[in-house]
Amino acid sequence: MVPDDVAPAAEPGPVGLDLPWATGTFPPDTVAARRAVWDELMGLALHEATHALATGDVPIGALVVGPDGRLLGLGRNRREEIGDPTAHAEVLALRQAAATLGSWRLEGCTLVVTLEPCAMCAGATTLARVERLVLGAWDPKAGACGSVWDIVRDRRNPHRVEVVGGIRDVECGDLVREFFETQR
């Protein structure tokens, strides 16, 4: 029996950070509305990517949005910064999203990343059960989501990921290209 002066426990609320489109259907129903949301999310990923420049890391940014459109995880390349070969933007964003949700299963989630994921990140995306991948620039040298390989849509995988490519591709590609030009 609960004493009268003790309030019942509140139901847990939604997790993650509210974004402007987190109040309705996510992703939106129309192609135009989806395109507008993908464009806005890619802007957030591009902003995160620029923070990698301060540590000499390749400027790639990623974020994970939940099925309700709330921001669950954010990441940028940090391999040079922390000396970890697996510290790619996608892996860090997936880890943060899993911690936010309290589960490694990111079913219904969307991963947004400025450059097509490599084989490691494509595998992590598939294993995390991410529903959708929104990418900026394609990577013709090491891309594993349609360019060189297509791990996320391979029919032999038990889970396949929807791929939406080319969102702000010129801007995303230029950021990486300019980084490597300064390295030469």
Side-chain angles (χ1 to χ4, degrees), residues 24-183:
T25 303
F26 185 84
D29 293 329
T30 68
V31 172
R34 279 184 183 219
R35 179 67 189 204
V37 168
W38 300 154
D39 191 72
E40 289 292 325
L41 288 170
M42 192 59 70
L44 294 173
L46 276 162
H47 178 78
E48 184 65 16
T50 64
H51 294 297
L53 294 169
T55 57
D57 280 290
V58 179
I60 298 171
L63 55 94
V64 177
V65 178
D68 59 357
R70 297 170 67 86
L71 181 63
L72 301 176
L74 193 61
R76 67 178 177 275
N77 274 4
R78 297 182 66 198
R79 293 186 316 165
E80 299 297 331
E81 180 183 355
I82 63 176
D84 179 352
T86 68
H88 289 205
E90 302 93 322
V91 169
L92 298 177
L94 291 169
R95 286 178 184 163
Q96 190 175 73
T100 299
L101 289 176
S103 172
W104 62 268
R105 292 179 182 270
L106 302 180
E107 293 166 336
C109 291
T110 300
L111 172 64
V112 179
V113 61
T114 57
L115 185 69
E116 179 183 5
C118 68
M120 176 185 71
C121 295
T125 301
T126 301
L127 292 171
R129 308 294 194 267
V130 169
E131 181 176 329
R132 180 179 307 102
L133 168 66
V134 176
L135 64 91
W138 294 96
D139 184 354
K141 292 183 179 178
C145 299
S147 290
V148 180
W149 301 283
D150 200 352
I151 292 170
V152 297
R153 294 180 288 194
D154 190 308
R155 61 180 174 77
R156 295 168 291 189
N157 278 334
H159 176 77
R160 285 179 285 289
V161 178
E162 173 191 351
V163 176
V164 179
I167 305 298
R168 294 174 75 163
D169 58 338
V170 172
E171 196 175 350
C172 292
D174 285 348
L175 184 62
V176 173
R177 226 177 339 275
E178 289 167 9
F179 170 79
F180 283 112
E181 285 173 3
T182 64
Q183 301 298 306

